[in-house]
Amino acid sequence: MEDNFLTIDNECSGVYREKGSKFIAYAFPCGDVAAFEERLVLLKKEHPKARHHCYAYILDPSNQQYRYNDDGEPTGSAGLPIYNQLKSMQLKKIAVVVIRYFGGKKLGVPGLINAYREATQDALSQAKIVEKYVEDLFEISFRFDQTGLVMRVINAAGIRVLENGFHESPYLIFAVRQSLSRDVKVRMYALLLSRNVSDITGDEMIPGFKFEKSGVVNA
């Protein structure tokens, strides 16, 4: 399973004009439906005289949460062209809303497809595209005398530590790219048990040491 994806790092906008109609595209990072709907409501309030508020989004790296909407335009002439731009650029966790002010002349379906596509392209051309990763979250606890070995693996793998502290024993909460999760766990167990990596299953019991998955980031 791929654990990397492309998205945008900033909100951006673009404009396309055709036969008096004005198409304003807003692109923004987005990871859940509630956040998108909240933003859509705000855009409608900002543009109360607009005729259409068409959109498309892809909210997860696996393309399971997606939607496109024509908002009264002919079927397939607005939301789908926006969505196809996101697909062609392989962007995830993103939404685009294109607002149309009607100029008095009909564009026909081909003209609408081109207009919504061009407005979306103009917005995305302003975006900073970045690569992100789906990460597993782990919490580990360990004895003081195990600290050096634990940190050797953490530092060597360049792991993103989110929290560290002390309850009954030292603990760390960290995020690691999904494709590297098992390797990190196995290497840590191998060091603590003084065994070869190839001999580790990850199910071994280590006194004073606990390694637990607590969640997923960017799924």
Side-chain angles (χ1 to χ4, degrees), residues 11-17 22-28 39 43 47 52 54-55 82 95-101 115-126:
E11 297 188 10
C12 47
S13 61
V15 178
Y16 180 77
R17 292 178 173 85
K22 183 179 181 181
F23 299 81
I24 308 172
Y26 295 89
F28 48 94
R39 184 63 190 279
L43 287 172
H47 299 273
H52 303 282
C54 307
Y55 64 81
I82 300 170
V96 175
V97 178
V98 180
I99 292 166
R100 180 189 182 187
Y101 285 91
Y116 281 99
R117 180 178 62 241
E118 290 293 328
T120 302
Q121 285 180 345
D122 190 47
L124 294 176
S125 70
Q126 315 299 319

mmCIF file of all heavy atoms in Angstrom, residues 11-17 22-28 39 43 47 52 54-55 82 95-101 115-126:
data_model
loop_
_atom_site.group_PDB
_atom_site.id
_atom_site.type_symbol
_atom_site.label_atom_id
_atom_site.label_comp_id
_atom_site.label_asym_id
_atom_site.label_seq_id
_atom_site.Cartn_x
_atom_site.Cartn_y
_atom_site.Cartn_z
ATOM 1 N N GLU A 11 -3.795 27.780 0.660
ATOM 2 C CA GLU A 11 -5.020 28.126 -0.049
ATOM 3 C C GLU A 11 -4.672 29.041 -1.212
ATOM 4 O O GLU A 11 -3.750 29.846 -1.131
ATOM 5 C CB GLU A 11 -6.000 28.820 0.890
ATOM 6 C CG GLU A 11 -6.458 27.944 2.037
ATOM 7 C CD GLU A 11 -7.574 28.588 2.841
ATOM 8 O OE1 GLU A 11 -8.106 29.630 2.388
ATOM 9 O OE2 GLU A 11 -7.909 28.049 3.906
ATOM 10 N N CYS A 12 -5.408 28.907 -2.299
ATOM 11 C CA CYS A 12 -5.122 29.737 -3.462
ATOM 12 C C CYS A 12 -6.398 29.908 -4.281
ATOM 13 O O CYS A 12 -7.380 29.193 -4.090
ATOM 14 C CB CYS A 12 -4.018 29.114 -4.318
ATOM 15 S SG CYS A 12 -4.249 27.362 -4.644
ATOM 16 N N SER A 13 -6.371 30.853 -5.193
ATOM 17 C CA SER A 13 -7.562 31.120 -6.003
ATOM 18 C C SER A 13 -7.155 31.427 -7.434
ATOM 19 O O SER A 13 -5.999 31.767 -7.715
ATOM 20 C CB SER A 13 -8.364 32.286 -5.420
ATOM 21 O OG SER A 13 -7.584 33.468 -5.398
ATOM 22 N N GLY A 14 -8.115 31.296 -8.326
ATOM 23 C CA GLY A 14 -7.887 31.584 -9.733
ATOM 24 C C GLY A 14 -9.161 32.107 -10.370
ATOM 25 O O GLY A 14 -10.256 31.932 -9.822
ATOM 26 N N VAL A 15 -9.027 32.736 -11.530
ATOM 27 C CA VAL A 15 -10.176 33.347 -12.200
ATOM 28 C C VAL A 15 -10.139 33.010 -13.689
ATOM 29 O O VAL A 15 -9.067 32.974 -14.306
ATOM 30 C CB VAL A 15 -10.178 34.882 -12.021
ATOM 31 C CG1 VAL A 15 -11.355 35.507 -12.771
ATOM 32 C CG2 VAL A 15 -10.228 35.258 -10.551
ATOM 33 N N TYR A 16 -11.332 32.768 -14.240
ATOM 34 C CA TYR A 16 -11.463 32.588 -15.688
ATOM 35 C C TYR A 16 -12.719 33.333 -16.129
ATOM 36 O O TYR A 16 -13.759 33.280 -15.462
ATOM 37 C CB TYR A 16 -11.577 31.105 -16.042
ATOM 38 C CG TYR A 16 -11.718 30.854 -17.523
ATOM 39 C CD1 TYR A 16 -10.616 30.923 -18.365
ATOM 40 C CD2 TYR A 16 -12.962 30.554 -18.078
ATOM 41 C CE1 TYR A 16 -10.742 30.697 -19.732
ATOM 42 C CE2 TYR A 16 -13.096 30.327 -19.438
ATOM 43 C CZ TYR A 16 -11.985 30.401 -20.264
ATOM 44 O OH TYR A 16 -12.116 30.182 -21.612
ATOM 45 N N ARG A 17 -12.616 34.037 -17.256
ATOM 46 C CA ARG A 17 -13.754 34.795 -17.785
ATOM 47 C C ARG A 17 -14.085 34.321 -19.193
ATOM 48 O O ARG A 17 -13.182 34.066 -19.996
ATOM 49 C CB ARG A 17 -13.443 36.290 -17.800
ATOM 50 C CG ARG A 17 -13.313 36.918 -16.417
ATOM 51 C CD ARG A 17 -12.953 38.394 -16.517
ATOM 52 N NE ARG A 17 -12.987 39.072 -15.226
ATOM 53 C CZ ARG A 17 -11.980 39.088 -14.366
ATOM 54 N NH1 ARG A 17 -10.849 38.445 -14.669
ATOM 55 N NH2 ARG A 17 -12.088 39.720 -13.212
ATOM 56 N N LYS A 22 -18.014 35.081 -15.061
ATOM 57 C CA LYS A 22 -16.778 35.071 -14.289
ATOM 58 C C LYS A 22 -16.762 33.832 -13.405
ATOM 59 O O LYS A 22 -17.711 33.575 -12.659
ATOM 60 C CB LYS A 22 -16.684 36.335 -13.431
ATOM 61 C CG LYS A 22 -15.394 36.469 -12.636
ATOM 62 C CD LYS A 22 -15.393 37.777 -11.843
ATOM 63 C CE LYS A 22 -14.107 37.957 -11.057
ATOM 64 N NZ LYS A 22 -14.121 39.215 -10.265
ATOM 65 N N PHE A 23 -15.693 33.069 -13.487
ATOM 66 C CA PHE A 23 -15.535 31.841 -12.715
ATOM 67 C C PHE A 23 -14.371 32.038 -11.732
ATOM 68 O O PHE A 23 -13.234 32.254 -12.149
ATOM 69 C CB PHE A 23 -15.239 30.659 -13.635
ATOM 70 C CG PHE A 23 -16.324 30.380 -14.639
ATOM 71 C CD1 PHE A 23 -16.403 31.125 -15.819
ATOM 72 C CD2 PHE A 23 -17.265 29.388 -14.417
ATOM 73 C CE1 PHE A 23 -17.401 30.874 -16.754
ATOM 74 C CE2 PHE A 23 -18.269 29.133 -15.351
ATOM 75 C CZ PHE A 23 -18.337 29.878 -16.515
ATOM 76 N N ILE A 24 -14.676 31.988 -10.450
ATOM 77 C CA ILE A 24 -13.655 32.180 -9.417
ATOM 78 C C ILE A 24 -13.441 30.847 -8.706
ATOM 79 O O ILE A 24 -14.372 30.290 -8.117
ATOM 80 C CB ILE A 24 -14.077 33.243 -8.391
ATOM 81 C CG1 ILE A 24 -14.497 34.534 -9.091
ATOM 82 C CG2 ILE A 24 -12.928 33.518 -7.415
ATOM 83 C CD1 ILE A 24 -15.104 35.558 -8.144
ATOM 84 N N ALA A 25 -12.225 30.329 -8.762
ATOM 85 C CA ALA A 25 -11.910 29.032 -8.155
ATOM 86 C C ALA A 25 -11.143 29.234 -6.853
ATOM 87 O O ALA A 25 -10.210 30.038 -6.789
ATOM 88 C CB ALA A 25 -11.085 28.188 -9.116
ATOM 89 N N TYR A 26 -11.550 28.490 -5.842
ATOM 90 C CA TYR A 26 -10.863 28.490 -4.548
ATOM 91 C C TYR A 26 -10.386 27.065 -4.263
ATOM 92 O O TYR A 26 -11.207 26.138 -4.205
ATOM 93 C CB TYR A 26 -11.792 28.944 -3.426
ATOM 94 C CG TYR A 26 -12.247 30.380 -3.541
ATOM 95 C CD1 TYR A 26 -13.398 30.702 -4.256
ATOM 96 C CD2 TYR A 26 -11.524 31.410 -2.946
ATOM 97 C CE1 TYR A 26 -13.823 32.020 -4.372
ATOM 98 C CE2 TYR A 26 -11.944 32.731 -3.053
ATOM 99 C CZ TYR A 26 -13.091 33.031 -3.764
ATOM 100 O OH TYR A 26 -13.508 34.341 -3.880
ATOM 101 N N ALA A 27 -9.094 26.889 -4.101
ATOM 102 C CA ALA A 27 -8.524 25.582 -3.769
ATOM 103 C C ALA A 27 -7.941 25.653 -2.364
ATOM 104 O O ALA A 27 -7.289 26.636 -2.006
ATOM 105 C CB ALA A 27 -7.438 25.197 -4.769
ATOM 106 N N PHE A 28 -8.162 24.608 -1.578
ATOM 107 C CA PHE A 28 -7.660 24.624 -0.202
ATOM 108 C C PHE A 28 -7.456 23.198 0.309
ATOM 109 O O PHE A 28 -8.162 22.273 -0.097
ATOM 110 C CB PHE A 28 -8.619 25.383 0.724
ATOM 111 C CG PHE A 28 -10.069 25.001 0.604
ATOM 112 C CD1 PHE A 28 -10.633 24.055 1.441
ATOM 113 C CD2 PHE A 28 -10.879 25.600 -0.357
ATOM 114 C CE1 PHE A 28 -11.971 23.704 1.336
ATOM 115 C CE2 PHE A 28 -12.226 25.254 -0.476
ATOM 116 C CZ PHE A 28 -12.771 24.310 0.373
ATOM 117 N N ARG A 39 -16.560 25.427 5.025
ATOM 118 C CA ARG A 39 -15.928 26.382 4.107
ATOM 119 C C ARG A 39 -16.869 26.751 2.964
ATOM 120 O O ARG A 39 -16.914 27.909 2.524
ATOM 121 C CB ARG A 39 -14.638 25.782 3.555
ATOM 122 C CG ARG A 39 -13.864 26.748 2.666
ATOM 123 C CD ARG A 39 -13.414 27.985 3.465
ATOM 124 N NE ARG A 39 -12.878 29.007 2.600
ATOM 125 C CZ ARG A 39 -11.636 29.001 2.123
ATOM 126 N NH1 ARG A 39 -10.809 28.018 2.452
ATOM 127 N NH2 ARG A 39 -11.213 29.967 1.347
ATOM 128 N N LEU A 43 -18.091 30.505 1.726
ATOM 129 C CA LEU A 43 -17.925 31.012 0.361
ATOM 130 C C LEU A 43 -19.257 31.469 -0.226
ATOM 131 O O LEU A 43 -19.317 32.471 -0.953
ATOM 132 C CB LEU A 43 -17.293 29.936 -0.524
ATOM 133 C CG LEU A 43 -15.804 29.668 -0.275
ATOM 134 C CD1 LEU A 43 -15.333 28.451 -1.058
ATOM 135 C CD2 LEU A 43 -14.973 30.894 -0.662
ATOM 136 N N HIS A 47 -20.214 35.236 -1.552
ATOM 137 C CA HIS A 47 -20.662 35.445 -2.935
ATOM 138 C C HIS A 47 -22.164 35.167 -3.051
ATOM 139 O O HIS A 47 -22.584 34.253 -3.766
ATOM 140 C CB HIS A 47 -19.887 34.527 -3.882
ATOM 141 C CG HIS A 47 -18.411 34.760 -3.887
ATOM 142 N ND1 HIS A 47 -17.805 35.692 -4.704
ATOM 143 C CD2 HIS A 47 -17.415 34.182 -3.164
ATOM 144 C CE1 HIS A 47 -16.498 35.667 -4.499
ATOM 145 N NE2 HIS A 47 -16.240 34.772 -3.571
ATOM 146 N N HIS A 52 -23.858 29.924 -9.370
ATOM 147 C CA HIS A 52 -23.512 28.530 -9.072
ATOM 148 C C HIS A 52 -22.285 28.467 -8.160
ATOM 149 O O HIS A 52 -21.389 29.304 -8.249
ATOM 150 C CB HIS A 52 -23.211 27.753 -10.358
ATOM 151 C CG HIS A 52 -24.334 27.777 -11.354
ATOM 152 N ND1 HIS A 52 -25.457 26.987 -11.239
ATOM 153 C CD2 HIS A 52 -24.498 28.518 -12.487
ATOM 154 C CE1 HIS A 52 -26.273 27.228 -12.260
ATOM 155 N NE2 HIS A 52 -25.711 28.155 -13.030
ATOM 156 N N CYS A 54 -20.016 25.392 -7.626
ATOM 157 C CA CYS A 54 -19.703 24.010 -7.991
ATOM 158 C C CYS A 54 -18.397 23.581 -7.319
ATOM 159 O O CYS A 54 -17.539 24.414 -7.027
ATOM 160 C CB CYS A 54 -19.585 23.880 -9.503
ATOM 161 S SG CYS A 54 -21.044 24.530 -10.382
ATOM 162 N N TYR A 55 -18.250 22.280 -7.112
ATOM 163 C CA TYR A 55 -17.061 21.856 -6.371
ATOM 164 C C TYR A 55 -16.692 20.404 -6.643
ATOM 165 O O TYR A 55 -17.458 19.630 -7.214
ATOM 166 C CB TYR A 55 -17.272 22.043 -4.866
ATOM 167 C CG TYR A 55 -18.377 21.198 -4.261
ATOM 168 C CD1 TYR A 55 -18.164 19.868 -3.915
ATOM 169 C CD2 TYR A 55 -19.642 21.740 -4.021
ATOM 170 C CE1 TYR A 55 -19.170 19.098 -3.354
ATOM 171 C CE2 TYR A 55 -20.654 20.978 -3.459
ATOM 172 C CZ TYR A 55 -20.411 19.659 -3.121
ATOM 173 O OH TYR A 55 -21.410 18.896 -2.569
ATOM 174 N N ILE A 82 -13.717 19.827 -12.587
ATOM 175 C CA ILE A 82 -12.903 20.200 -11.425
ATOM 176 C C ILE A 82 -12.227 18.953 -10.855
ATOM 177 O O ILE A 82 -11.020 18.931 -10.598
ATOM 178 C CB ILE A 82 -13.773 20.876 -10.343
ATOM 179 C CG1 ILE A 82 -14.442 22.135 -10.886
ATOM 180 C CG2 ILE A 82 -12.923 21.213 -9.115
ATOM 181 C CD1 ILE A 82 -15.506 22.717 -9.958
ATOM 182 N N ALA A 95 -9.763 20.295 -1.708
ATOM 183 C CA ALA A 95 -11.080 20.650 -2.234
ATOM 184 C C ALA A 95 -10.947 21.889 -3.109
ATOM 185 O O ALA A 95 -10.089 22.741 -2.870
ATOM 186 C CB ALA A 95 -12.062 20.911 -1.097
ATOM 187 N N VAL A 96 -11.801 21.962 -4.125
ATOM 188 C CA VAL A 96 -11.864 23.144 -4.987
ATOM 189 C C VAL A 96 -13.328 23.526 -5.164
ATOM 190 O O VAL A 96 -14.167 22.679 -5.492
ATOM 191 C CB VAL A 96 -11.230 22.893 -6.370
ATOM 192 C CG1 VAL A 96 -11.437 24.106 -7.281
ATOM 193 C CG2 VAL A 96 -9.747 22.577 -6.241
ATOM 194 N N VAL A 97 -13.629 24.788 -4.931
ATOM 195 C CA VAL A 97 -14.961 25.341 -5.176
ATOM 196 C C VAL A 97 -14.818 26.400 -6.266
ATOM 197 O O VAL A 97 -13.968 27.288 -6.164
ATOM 198 C CB VAL A 97 -15.559 25.981 -3.907
ATOM 199 C CG1 VAL A 97 -16.932 26.582 -4.217
ATOM 200 C CG2 VAL A 97 -15.665 24.955 -2.788
ATOM 201 N N VAL A 98 -15.639 26.290 -7.308
ATOM 202 C CA VAL A 98 -15.627 27.289 -8.377
ATOM 203 C C VAL A 98 -16.979 27.995 -8.387
ATOM 204 O O VAL A 98 -18.029 27.364 -8.535
ATOM 205 C CB VAL A 98 -15.346 26.661 -9.753
ATOM 206 C CG1 VAL A 98 -15.336 27.755 -10.827
ATOM 207 C CG2 VAL A 98 -14.014 25.915 -9.751
ATOM 208 N N ILE A 99 -16.929 29.295 -8.220
ATOM 209 C CA ILE A 99 -18.129 30.124 -8.136
ATOM 210 C C ILE A 99 -18.332 30.842 -9.465
ATOM 211 O O ILE A 99 -17.397 31.447 -10.003
ATOM 212 C CB ILE A 99 -17.986 31.132 -6.983
ATOM 213 C CG1 ILE A 99 -17.997 30.366 -5.656
ATOM 214 C CG2 ILE A 99 -19.083 32.182 -7.021
ATOM 215 C CD1 ILE A 99 -17.550 31.167 -4.480
ATOM 216 N N ARG A 100 -19.557 30.765 -9.994
ATOM 217 C CA ARG A 100 -19.829 31.394 -11.286
ATOM 218 C C ARG A 100 -20.799 32.558 -11.143
ATOM 219 O O ARG A 100 -21.883 32.421 -10.580
ATOM 220 C CB ARG A 100 -20.421 30.382 -12.263
ATOM 221 C CG ARG A 100 -20.715 30.999 -13.640
ATOM 222 C CD ARG A 100 -21.494 30.079 -14.542
ATOM 223 N NE ARG A 100 -21.711 30.692 -15.856
ATOM 224 C CZ ARG A 100 -22.481 30.167 -16.809
ATOM 225 N NH1 ARG A 100 -23.092 29.011 -16.598
ATOM 226 N NH2 ARG A 100 -22.632 30.793 -17.969
ATOM 227 N N TYR A 101 -20.367 33.682 -11.684
ATOM 228 C CA TYR A 101 -21.262 34.821 -11.872
ATOM 229 C C TYR A 101 -21.694 34.805 -13.334
ATOM 230 O O TYR A 101 -20.860 34.932 -14.234
ATOM 231 C CB TYR A 101 -20.553 36.132 -11.542
ATOM 232 C CG TYR A 101 -20.368 36.369 -10.057
ATOM 233 C CD1 TYR A 101 -19.217 35.934 -9.409
ATOM 234 C CD2 TYR A 101 -21.343 37.023 -9.315
ATOM 235 C CE1 TYR A 101 -19.041 36.144 -8.048
ATOM 236 C CE2 TYR A 101 -21.177 37.243 -7.952
ATOM 237 C CZ TYR A 101 -20.023 36.800 -7.326
ATOM 238 O OH TYR A 101 -19.858 37.015 -5.983
ATOM 239 N N ALA A 115 -14.485 26.151 -19.054
ATOM 240 C CA ALA A 115 -14.414 27.251 -18.091
ATOM 241 C C ALA A 115 -14.098 26.746 -16.682
ATOM 242 O O ALA A 115 -13.231 27.307 -15.990
ATOM 243 C CB ALA A 115 -15.734 28.020 -18.084
ATOM 244 N N TYR A 116 -14.783 25.696 -16.253
ATOM 245 C CA TYR A 116 -14.531 25.174 -14.906
ATOM 246 C C TYR A 116 -13.142 24.535 -14.810
ATOM 247 O O TYR A 116 -12.471 24.633 -13.778
ATOM 248 C CB TYR A 116 -15.627 24.184 -14.508
ATOM 249 C CG TYR A 116 -16.891 24.883 -14.069
ATOM 250 C CD1 TYR A 116 -17.963 25.044 -14.943
ATOM 251 C CD2 TYR A 116 -16.999 25.418 -12.789
ATOM 252 C CE1 TYR A 116 -19.117 25.709 -14.555
ATOM 253 C CE2 TYR A 116 -18.154 26.083 -12.387
ATOM 254 C CZ TYR A 116 -19.205 26.228 -13.276
ATOM 255 O OH TYR A 116 -20.342 26.905 -12.876
ATOM 256 N N ARG A 117 -12.712 23.921 -15.910
ATOM 257 C CA ARG A 117 -11.361 23.346 -15.926
ATOM 258 C C ARG A 117 -10.310 24.446 -15.858
ATOM 259 O O ARG A 117 -9.349 24.363 -15.082
ATOM 260 C CB ARG A 117 -11.165 22.510 -17.187
ATOM 261 C CG ARG A 117 -9.764 21.879 -17.276
ATOM 262 C CD ARG A 117 -9.596 21.019 -18.511
ATOM 263 N NE ARG A 117 -9.754 21.806 -19.731
ATOM 264 C CZ ARG A 117 -10.695 21.573 -20.644
ATOM 265 N NH1 ARG A 117 -11.565 20.585 -20.475
ATOM 266 N NH2 ARG A 117 -10.770 22.320 -21.729
ATOM 267 N N GLU A 118 -10.483 25.498 -16.652
ATOM 268 C CA GLU A 118 -9.495 26.576 -16.696
ATOM 269 C C GLU A 118 -9.417 27.329 -15.367
ATOM 270 O O GLU A 118 -8.324 27.703 -14.916
ATOM 271 C CB GLU A 118 -9.835 27.549 -17.832
ATOM 272 C CG GLU A 118 -9.629 26.983 -19.224
ATOM 273 C CD GLU A 118 -8.167 26.735 -19.535
ATOM 274 O OE1 GLU A 118 -7.316 27.487 -19.022
ATOM 275 O OE2 GLU A 118 -7.873 25.789 -20.287
ATOM 276 N N ALA A 119 -10.559 27.568 -14.749
ATOM 277 C CA ALA A 119 -10.554 28.260 -13.454
ATOM 278 C C ALA A 119 -9.817 27.432 -12.410
ATOM 279 O O ALA A 119 -9.018 27.959 -11.618
ATOM 280 C CB ALA A 119 -11.989 28.529 -13.004
ATOM 281 N N THR A 120 -10.066 26.123 -12.427
ATOM 282 C CA THR A 120 -9.390 25.230 -11.482
ATOM 283 C C THR A 120 -7.890 25.207 -11.741
ATOM 284 O O THR A 120 -7.078 25.284 -10.804
ATOM 285 C CB THR A 120 -9.963 23.810 -11.592
ATOM 286 O OG1 THR A 120 -11.371 23.842 -11.338
ATOM 287 C CG2 THR A 120 -9.300 22.874 -10.593
ATOM 288 N N GLN A 121 -7.507 25.112 -13.002
ATOM 289 C CA GLN A 121 -6.085 25.111 -13.344
ATOM 290 C C GLN A 121 -5.405 26.395 -12.889
ATOM 291 O O GLN A 121 -4.272 26.370 -12.385
ATOM 292 C CB GLN A 121 -5.909 24.943 -14.860
ATOM 293 C CG GLN A 121 -6.159 23.542 -15.366
ATOM 294 C CD GLN A 121 -5.974 23.439 -16.875
ATOM 295 O OE1 GLN A 121 -5.936 24.448 -17.583
ATOM 296 N NE2 GLN A 121 -5.864 22.220 -17.373
ATOM 297 N N ASP A 122 -6.094 27.522 -13.051
ATOM 298 C CA ASP A 122 -5.498 28.797 -12.659
ATOM 299 C C ASP A 122 -5.265 28.845 -11.151
ATOM 300 O O ASP A 122 -4.219 29.321 -10.688
ATOM 301 C CB ASP A 122 -6.403 29.952 -13.090
ATOM 302 C CG ASP A 122 -5.719 31.299 -12.929
ATOM 303 O OD1 ASP A 122 -4.555 31.430 -13.358
ATOM 304 O OD2 ASP A 122 -6.333 32.218 -12.356
ATOM 305 N N ALA A 123 -6.227 28.339 -10.382
ATOM 306 C CA ALA A 123 -6.052 28.316 -8.928
ATOM 307 C C ALA A 123 -4.895 27.401 -8.531
ATOM 308 O O ALA A 123 -4.024 27.781 -7.743
ATOM 309 C CB ALA A 123 -7.342 27.862 -8.250
ATOM 310 N N LEU A 124 -4.867 26.205 -9.097
ATOM 311 C CA LEU A 124 -3.840 25.235 -8.712
ATOM 312 C C LEU A 124 -2.448 25.657 -9.166
ATOM 313 O O LEU A 124 -1.445 25.232 -8.581
ATOM 314 C CB LEU A 124 -4.190 23.854 -9.275
ATOM 315 C CG LEU A 124 -5.459 23.219 -8.687
ATOM 316 C CD1 LEU A 124 -5.761 21.899 -9.383
ATOM 317 C CD2 LEU A 124 -5.313 23.005 -7.180
ATOM 318 N N SER A 125 -2.379 26.503 -10.182
ATOM 319 C CA SER A 125 -1.067 26.989 -10.627
ATOM 320 C C SER A 125 -0.435 27.912 -9.584
ATOM 321 O O SER A 125 0.776 28.152 -9.614
ATOM 322 C CB SER A 125 -1.195 27.730 -11.960
ATOM 323 O OG SER A 125 -1.873 28.972 -11.796
ATOM 324 N N GLN A 126 -1.264 28.418 -8.666
ATOM 325 C CA GLN A 126 -0.758 29.288 -7.597
ATOM 326 C C GLN A 126 -0.372 28.489 -6.349
ATOM 327 O O GLN A 126 0.154 29.056 -5.383
ATOM 328 C CB GLN A 126 -1.835 30.311 -7.184
ATOM 329 C CG GLN A 126 -2.571 30.985 -8.323
ATOM 330 C CD GLN A 126 -1.672 31.783 -9.228
ATOM 331 O OE1 GLN A 126 -0.766 32.463 -8.753
ATOM 332 N NE2 GLN A 126 -1.909 31.704 -10.533
#
